[in-house]
Amino acid sequence: MEIKIPETTVRKDGEEDEQPLSPAARVFHAPEFNCYVISVIGVKKKIEPDVIIEGLKQTLIRHPRFSSKMVSRRNKNSQTQIWVRTSVVVSDHVIVPDIQTQNIENSNADKFLESYVSDLTLIPLDTSKPLWELHLLDLKTSDAENVAVLKFHHSLGDGMSLMALVLACMRKTSNPDELPTLPNQNRSSSKSSRLKGGSRGDFRLLWLIIALWSAIKLVLNTFCDALEFIATAMFLKDTETPIKGDFRLSKHRRMSLVHRTVNLDDIKLIKNNMKMTVNDVVLGVTQAGLSQYLERRYGEKKKKLGEDQRNSNDMPKRVRLRSALLVNLRPTTGIQDLSDMMAKGSKCRWGNWIGYIVFPFSIGLRKDPLEHLRSAKRIIDRKKNSLEAALTFIVGKFMIKSFGVKVTANIINRALSNTTMSFSNLIGPIEEISFFGHPITYMAPSVYGHPHALTMHFQSYMNKMTISLTVDPTVISDTHRLLDDWEESLKKIKAAVQERGSSIFE
């Protein structure tokens, strides 16, 4: 049963606006690559559905994509998909399930939430209306008083745009009139800026040599990465590890979504001591956590088969395990721009502007846990000096125009199927924010519908980092053990950093 909410309708005056789907949006609607974004949001108080309804009326549905439905029109030779502005009945998009919570304890409530969200992965959105919905759960879990679950179709926009739009609907708890604030991303000074100490003439030749060498490395790295991506799409496969799924025979399956929140200050402590970025640390800890998890899984497999357990390392000597790292290519769309668009009808950039980087994790146990950080940083620094992400985006658009959506979706599906997992990381607000008067405790976004048995997403918020896993339970049945290994790896690396720091001052 669902609680009946008074119907609220928003109508668009004038003729219906029509806009064709972008090439990326069309790919996301292909059966081979039908992707959705789900964001679980924990709040500190009991949810008031009527307040949420009114808030959505004033914000989210003023965005064209959230007040448009997708319509397919057949021409003589082809089929065209377009966005058509329509009247929006907000209550049709807000679902409030009747949950009998009196006998549910916190631990059981967490399992209930995981099951509820996982069940949503089997239910497609109704294409006769805008492709989004909001579930409001009167359910007290171990880390929230109530929970909201937002579900969008990925064709509405890329993850960064969608999260920025959600944040633009929110306000600071300390000042309900102010939008959320994101941390400044400090960029390291360039080599040219470090040469300002001397005269310009003395360093001109050196600057030209450095610039020329950087350009050569950029071209070579991009060329090598392009070859690897082509090989991956054609034949280059990852090792068949216990976390690699096989999506060739199954088009759609139920996925499990779980999350865990850790202290962001621990990550920042490592970052500052190792002179890295938060993303570098997260990649390094992920590599360590995956190595620890796979070591256990291979050991359990050997034990089950009755093989010799005397070897200290149960994993194969060489494991090719690569992740598709999602990279945002759009010039940053500010939260203020999106807020103005919803409030005043102004224009701002929108759509799916994402590219991929194929990131190879160096899987294996290390005596020094800091080696995982150094290894991950070397690889990601090398990847940053490449146009791989932009190239995958440009080539994708070219393939859609040249070969069509179906062929392009099959190629992307094949390339991703030959890798093991997906990985993304988003920066969140630095202060507590509220969702229409409901203070937020955590945000756990993720995506499903692509051919990976494991997707890891990291979302920072205040002094917290939430790790969201989307997994195929037929491949990874012990998702919480994987989270345990990630958290344990973080603790080991933090301890190693502190020990390293103390030894320096002794």
Side-chain angles (χ1 to χ4, degrees), residues 2-10 48-54 57 88-94 96:
E2 296 179 5
I3 298 173
K4 296 295 183 181
I5 302 174
E7 184 173 275
T8 304
T9 305
V10 173
E48 302 175 64
D50 55 337
V51 174
I52 301 291
I53 289 281
E54 186 61 29
K57 178 181 176 181
V88 180
V89 180
V90 181
S91 59
D92 286 349
H93 296 265
V94 178
V96 187

Side-chain angles (χ1 to χ4, degrees), residues 69 100 135 194:
K69 61 182 179 180
Q100 303 299 323
H135 297 250
R194 292 195 293 268

Side-chain angles (χ1 to χ4, degrees), residues 154 156-163 328 330 350-354:
H154 215 319
L156 297 183
D158 56 59
M160 182 163 288
S161 295
L162 291 170
M163 286 308 298
N328 177 55
R330 155 198 325 284
W350 192 258
N352 280 283
W353 288 60
I354 51 176

Side-chain angles (χ1 to χ4, degrees), residues 1-19:
M1 286 185 62
E2 296 179 5
I3 298 173
K4 296 295 183 181
I5 302 174
E7 184 173 275
T8 304
T9 305
V10 173
R11 297 191 179 277
K12 303 295 176 185
D13 296 329
E15 296 182 358
E16 291 182 335
D17 296 329
E18 296 184 1
Q19 188 176 5

Side-chain angles (χ1 to χ4, degrees), residues 215-368:
I216 292 172
K217 285 202 299 182
L218 181 68
V219 172
L220 289 175
N221 289 342
T222 303
F223 179 73
C224 293
D225 290 339
L227 287 181
E228 182 186 5
F229 193 86
I230 292 170
T232 301
M234 295 177 65
F235 60 85
L236 186 62
K237 298 181 180 180
D238 279 6
T239 305
E240 295 293 333
T241 63
I243 64 172
K244 190 177 188 311
D246 185 356
F247 284 76
R248 290 172 296 179
L249 302 178
S250 176
K251 296 293 184 183
H252 190 63
R253 61 187 70 179
R254 183 181 187 271
M255 305 296 284
S256 293
L257 282 80
V258 300
H259 72 269
R260 181 169 300 179
T261 300
V262 298
N263 193 340
L264 182 59
D265 290 338
D266 291 342
I267 296 173
K268 288 181 177 179
L269 183 149
I270 299 169
K271 170 186 83 79
N272 294 332
N273 279 273
M274 298 296 291
K275 294 180 173 55
M276 297 179 172
T277 66
V278 169
N279 196 58
D280 295 337
V281 176
V282 168
L283 282 169
V285 176
T286 298
Q287 179 174 291
L290 289 173
S291 297
Q292 185 170 314
Y293 178 80
L294 286 172
E295 169 71 10
R296 181 189 297 109
R297 287 287 299 269
Y298 276 113
E300 290 171 352
K301 183 179 179 181
K302 280 188 174 183
K303 186 175 181 181
K304 186 176 180 180
L305 295 175
E307 296 180 8
D308 190 354
Q309 294 286 300
R310 287 176 294 179
N311 293 332
S312 60
N313 194 336
D314 291 315
M315 281 189 292
K317 290 184 178 180
R318 293 185 179 180
V319 175
R320 180 188 292 124
L321 194 158
R322 296 172 298 166
S323 173
L325 263 65
L326 306 181
V327 179
N328 177 55
L329 300 174
R330 155 198 325 284
T332 304
T333 300
I335 295 174
Q336 183 65 56
D337 295 332
L338 290 164
S339 179
D340 290 343
M341 179 182 64
M342 292 185 290
K344 306 171 186 177
S346 58
K347 301 288 185 180
C348 75
R349 293 176 178 270
W350 192 258
N352 280 283
W353 288 60
I354 51 176
Y356 292 94
I357 287 177
V358 178
F359 183 90
F361 283 108
S362 180
I363 298 298
L365 299 180
R366 305 282 192 275
K367 291 183 179 180
D368 180 5

